[in-house]
Amino acid sequence: MKLIKLSAISAAILASTAALAAEPVIVVDSADAVVYEAEPVAVAYQAEPAYAYNADAGIVRNTTGAVVGGTKTFFQTAVNPAAVSAEVGTLGYGANVAWAMNDKTELQAGWAGGDVADLFGGDFDANGVNYDVDSDFSNPYLGVQVRPAANWFTMGAGIIVPDNDIDVTANADGGISGFYEVDDIKYDANNVTLEGTLEHRNKLAPYATIGFRPNISKNWGVFGEIGAAYMGKTDATITSLNPGQVLIAEDSNGNAVTGLTGKDLAASAEQELEEENYLEWLPIVKLGATYRF
């Protein structure tokens, strides 16, 4: 008898459970003529949030999704940049593309290059010798641009992959009839020409900048940045067009120094260039305009 009762109770429980899961239960109160809909009882699994791309803002946000959605996210991020910019500066003439990682941070990839020697004067001094510069720059870079206060002030850092050709020609102090002063020795510059190349050793050059990026309309903005890139030690190659010519020379006390040739002068100038620490750094100054999508 107990077995029959237990079986009946179990059957009733199973039947009522199935009914609750399948359809809502309608209860009619005959006294008030009100219909009540009973809430079905169920337990559902809430999946962990995944990350997806917000196409409107160019930002990666939390949302429910799967691994396939994540793959689409990175593809959408790559093909939907937040901004493009044109720039000119000591790295060269170029452009970059930016992707917004959040409301304060952008990832940038760009390139700048060309003949930019005239932008910083076209010459420089190394101890007692002035050099004219002819350059052909190629500076692809990858960096991060941060707005720490979420306003126009920016800080940037990244890596440049430099491939820069730098040709130099020495200018004699006082013109053609003047002299070169190298390693405390004055060489008569008559009929002597020094020229060569400079090459930085770093194949990857870290850089850092600070700047400003105000918006001037909904889509357009301008920017300016200053900073520096560490290019590494300089390898110089300096030659004389008259390497075997014996030069008139004197030391710092005015005493004659004999036996020095154009080749000796070139070697001394080359050594002085490689010892100039400031040549290890490439100053970064740039101006540009930005269009935001």
Side-chain angles (χ1 to χ4, degrees), residues 88-150:
V88 58
T90 53
L91 292 179
Y93 308 87
N96 67 66
V97 182
W99 294 267
M101 309 310 293
N102 54 47
D103 59 348
K104 294 183 180 181
T105 307
E106 289 183 346
L107 177 67
Q108 289 184 335
W111 177 90
D115 185 359
V116 297
D118 290 339
L119 292 176
F120 52 89
D123 67 324
F124 69 93
D125 293 322
N127 291 332
V129 181
N130 176 264
Y131 292 90
D132 285 332
V133 179
D134 184 23
S135 64
D136 184 11
F137 278 11
S138 177
N139 290 300
Y141 61 88
L142 181 66
V144 175
Q145 194 77 226
V146 179
R147 298 175 183 261

Side-chain angles (χ1 to χ4, degrees), residues 172 175-180 187-194 240-247 262 265:
I176 297 176
S177 60
F179 59 89
Y180 298 112
Y187 295 84
D188 186 347
N190 188 36
N191 297 323
V192 177
T193 301
L194 295 177
S240 171
L241 298 187
N242 304 93
Q245 179 180 348
V246 177
L247 305 178
L265 170 59

Side-chain angles (χ1 to χ4, degrees), residues 193-275:
T193 301
L194 295 177
E195 60 184 21
T197 61
L198 301 179
E199 183 178 356
H200 292 103
R201 296 180 186 177
N202 280 5
K203 302 306 179 185
L204 294 176
Y207 74 86
T209 62
I210 59 172
F212 64 94
R213 285 180 175 265
N215 294 324
I216 58 177
S217 70
K218 179 181 177 181
N219 298 108
W220 289 96
V222 295
F223 68 89
E225 294 178 31
I226 59 172
Y230 181 67
M231 309 298 286
K233 290 288 186 179
T234 302
D235 290 328
T237 302
I238 303 297
T239 59
S240 171
L241 298 187
N242 304 93
Q245 179 180 348
V246 177
L247 305 178
I248 300 172
E250 62 181 36
D251 62 21
S252 57
N253 297 319
N255 300 317
V257 179
T258 60
L260 295 178
T261 65
K263 183 178 180 180
D264 297 321
L265 170 59
S268 296
E270 185 176 291
Q271 182 177 355
E272 281 201 342
L273 282 170
E274 293 184 346
E275 291 176 352

Side-chain angles (χ1 to χ4, degrees), residues 59-82:
I59 299 173
V60 177
R61 299 186 182 279
N62 273 346
T63 185
T64 55
V67 174
V68 175
T71 304
K72 186 177 179 182
T73 291
F74 291 109
F75 175 76
Q76 286 182 325
T77 301
V79 299
N80 290 277

